[in-house]
Amino acid sequence: MVPSNNAHADIREGVRALCAGFPASYFRELDERRAYPEAFVDALTKAGWLAALIPQEYGGSGLGLTEASVIMEEINRSGGNAGACHGQMYNMGTLLRHGSAEQKERYLPAIARGELRLQSMGVTEPDAGTDTTSLKTFAERRGDRYVVNGQKVWISRVQHSDLMILLARTTPQAEVKKRSEGLSIFLVDLRDAIGHGMTVQPIRNMVNHETNELFFDNLEIPAESLIGEEGRGFRYILDGLNAERALIAAECIGDGYWFIDKVTKYARERIVFGRPIGQNQGVQFPIAKAYVDVEAASLMRYKACALYDAHRPCGAEANMAKLLAADASWAAANACLQFHGGYGFATEYDVERKFRETRLYQVAPISTNLILSYVAEHMLGMPRSF
Ligand SMILES: Cc1cc2nc3c(=O)[nH]c(=O)nc-3n(C[C@H](O)[C@H](O)[C@H](O)COP(=O)(O)OP(=O)(O)OC[C@H]3O[C@@H](n4cnc5c(N)ncnc54)[C@H](O)[C@@H]3O)c2cc1C
């Protein structure tokens, strides 16, 4: 294994031991069938790793985002893919920070026991895309209920979750001063919603990732599903989005190490022209550069997580960590595929699967362009371009 920052060695060892029971061949076989890693997620849940962020008083381990990021990193570094279960980590912050005492009491112990899953977050809409505040899904208050109408797209793990955090408009855009006002978040019980006003349409895609279109047709949810104050949901969801970016950065870092481990081993062993291909500097340099970039991205990830855990603003760092890590893992993926030659394309080497998986993070959960425009505007003071 290539050297890396071994902070949180106890967590890494525990997750690695669990992942050893789910080798790359397990994920390869599921990829072929586009099937959900039920046994893996079940084992992670039983071992308590998916309750890492739940405070001890509710039955979790009370760890921070830093430790959660290490768990996600190790899953991807093992050859697996944390995309099947990372929702529980980033959604947890939203519930913990903005949920009422009653909501926490009702859901957190059951999530910690593995009886409930909080794996989904419904933000993206077909007509709004990255322009989140233009979303149209509307939740109208009627007595003790909200009635939801609208549509979402690319909403992941809905078929493997019991709860979903939903972002919807509660005041029409024309009636608010700022576009980010008048949005609210709800904790939707999917077991009650699906088939009773909410329809799920799976989207088959490039990777083995369960994601869906959602349609809301007069879906009724209890008023107590509202998280925090009505109209302030955009501010609340930003916490979840920042946590998501830091965790995805960690997953890219795990991918980066996996690619570098895989390709350095191969480059040492593969003999062409009478010598290992790894003896050529043309082969060494792209791999070494990707390694340098992964290490640097890892530091920015730790910075973002430390700020988040200290309840300090971390938007810039979470975005930068995500961009650096996604670029580093993509560079590592390209080097790994390239230096495996034809074998990189063979399914049994797992390189092409991981290559597809890490490519996603140039686009989701936020694209590289949008991160750069955030940095240009919010950190460098340049005029907003859109
Ligand atoms: C597999 C998968 C899983 C997902 N899971 C979830 C989920 O669980 N929940 C959820 O809410 N969403 C989810 N998403 C949605 C994801 O967050 C969005 O796809 C992503 O934010 C990009 O939005 P879009 O697809 O609408 O692209 P668009 O907003 O249409 O953008 C398309 C392209 O145009 C570029 N672009 C747009 N505007 C600008 C600009 N002003 N300047 C420069 N470039 C620009 C972008 O960089 C992007 O590459 C998922 C997506 C995928 C593919």
Side-chain angles (χ1 to χ4, degrees):
M1 218 182 233
V2 295
S4 61
N5 181 332
N6 223 22
H8 308 284
D10 47 342
I11 293 178
R12 291 183 191 280
E13 274 165 31
V15 180
R16 274 178 203 170
L18 187 147
C19 290
F22 299 90
S25 56
Y26 167 80
F27 286 94
R28 186 193 318 149
E29 193 273 325
L30 292 175
D31 183 68
E32 278 164 23
R33 292 192 286 121
R34 289 293 193 273
Y36 189 78
E38 300 273 5
F40 173 67
V41 177
D42 201 41
L44 272 181
T45 308
K46 287 207 172 93
W49 294 115
L50 293 184
L53 292 173
I54 298 179
Q56 287 178 341
E57 58 186 297
Y58 295 110
S61 348
L63 298 173
L65 192 67
T66 307
E67 290 81 4
S69 85
V70 169
I71 297 168
M72 299 291 105
E73 177 190 334
E74 287 298 330
I75 293 172
N76 279 38
R77 186 171 187 167
S78 78
N81 188 338
C85 55
H86 58 197
Q88 186 132 308
M89 297 293 198
Y90 61 74
N91 284 322
M92 193 58 68
T94 314
L95 180 56
L96 283 174
R97 292 188 173 185
H98 307 291
S100 65
E102 199 193 337
Q103 284 167 332
K104 289 183 204 172
E105 195 54 58
R106 182 159 172 205
Y107 295 113
L108 293 179
I111 297 172
R113 287 193 300 272
E115 293 161 12
L116 279 182
R117 297 160 298 179
L118 172 57
Q119 286 285 3
S120 294
M121 176 176 73
V123 173
T124 307
E125 296 194 3
D127 293 336
T130 316
D131 185 8
T132 307
T133 56
S134 295
L135 64 79
K136 297 209 172 60
T137 295
F138 201 88
E140 186 191 344
R141 179 85 191 236
R142 284 191 211 156
D144 62 352
R145 318 192 78 70
Y146 281 90
V147 180
V148 185
N149 281 289
Q151 190 182 340
K152 297 276 173 189
V153 69
W154 301 116
I155 310 307
S156 302
R157 298 169 298 277
V158 172
Q159 297 164 54
H160 295 91
S161 187
D162 302 295
L163 302 165
M164 172 177 75
I165 290 182
L166 173 73
L167 182 67
R169 201 156 258 299
T170 39
T171 308
Q173 212 186 68
E175 293 171 26
V176 291
K177 283 200 207 89
K178 280 168 68 183
R179 286 152 54 94
S180 56
E181 291 170 1
L183 293 161
S184 303
I185 53 172
F186 301 90
L187 194 58
V188 176
D189 192 323
L190 293 166
R191 298 164 300 176
D192 297 336
I194 296 173
H196 301 96
M198 177 178 152
T199 314
V200 180
Q201 184 69 48
I203 306 173
R204 195 178 160 90
N205 59 83
M206 182 173 162
V207 287
N208 181 21
H209 185 84
E210 187 242 286
T211 189
N212 311 276
E213 265 185 292
L214 307 182
F215 300 91
F216 305 100
D217 182 12
N218 288 321
L219 168 71
E220 294 194 9
I221 52 175
E224 59 264 25
S225 316
L226 178 73
I227 296 180
E229 270 179 59
E230 192 183 289
R232 293 171 67 85
F234 189 70
R235 196 175 65 81
Y236 302 151
I237 205 103
L238 284 181
D239 274 343
L241 296 178
N242 286 333
E244 182 184 27
R245 282 161 205 181
L247 291 171
I248 300 277
E251 290 165 41
C252 289
I253 289 158
D255 281 345
Y257 285 130
W258 185 89
F259 286 118
I260 293 164
D261 275 335
K262 186 97 174 167
V263 71
T264 46
K265 182 170 184 296
Y266 188 77
R268 279 194 297 268
E269 291 168 0
R270 173 70 173 162
I271 309 290
V272 182
F273 297 112
R275 59 181 179 171
I277 57 167
Q279 202 175 330
N280 303 300
Q281 289 192 328
V283 172
Q284 291 175 355
F285 287 1
I287 301 170
K289 175 69 167 69
Y291 175 69
V292 171
D293 291 346
V294 171
E295 286 281 298
S298 184
L299 294 179
M300 186 61 85
R301 170 275 304 261
Y302 282 125
K303 186 174 179 190
C305 289
L307 288 168
Y308 182 93
D309 287 334
H311 290 250
R312 288 171 56 196
C314 67
E317 289 76 10
N319 273 299
M320 291 192 292
K322 193 271 178 184
L323 181 138
L324 289 169
D327 281 357
S329 73
W330 183 230
N334 269 308
C336 188
L337 188 83
Q338 189 69 21
F339 300 129
H340 273 78
Y343 299 97
F345 293 82
T347 310
E348 67 173 292
Y349 281 73
D350 297 300
V351 175
E352 61 83 31
R353 172 177 59 83
K354 293 283 283 182
F355 182 90
R356 284 182 278 118
E357 288 171 355
T358 219
R359 181 63 178 83
L360 171 65
Y361 297 127
Q362 292 289 319
V363 170
I366 182 167
S367 67
T368 301
N369 273 1
L370 268 291
I371 293 179
L372 292 175
S373 69
Y374 174 93
V375 171
E377 182 188 338
H378 294 281
M379 301 182 70
L380 306 180
M382 288 193 262
R384 186 177 170 86
S385 64
F386 50 87

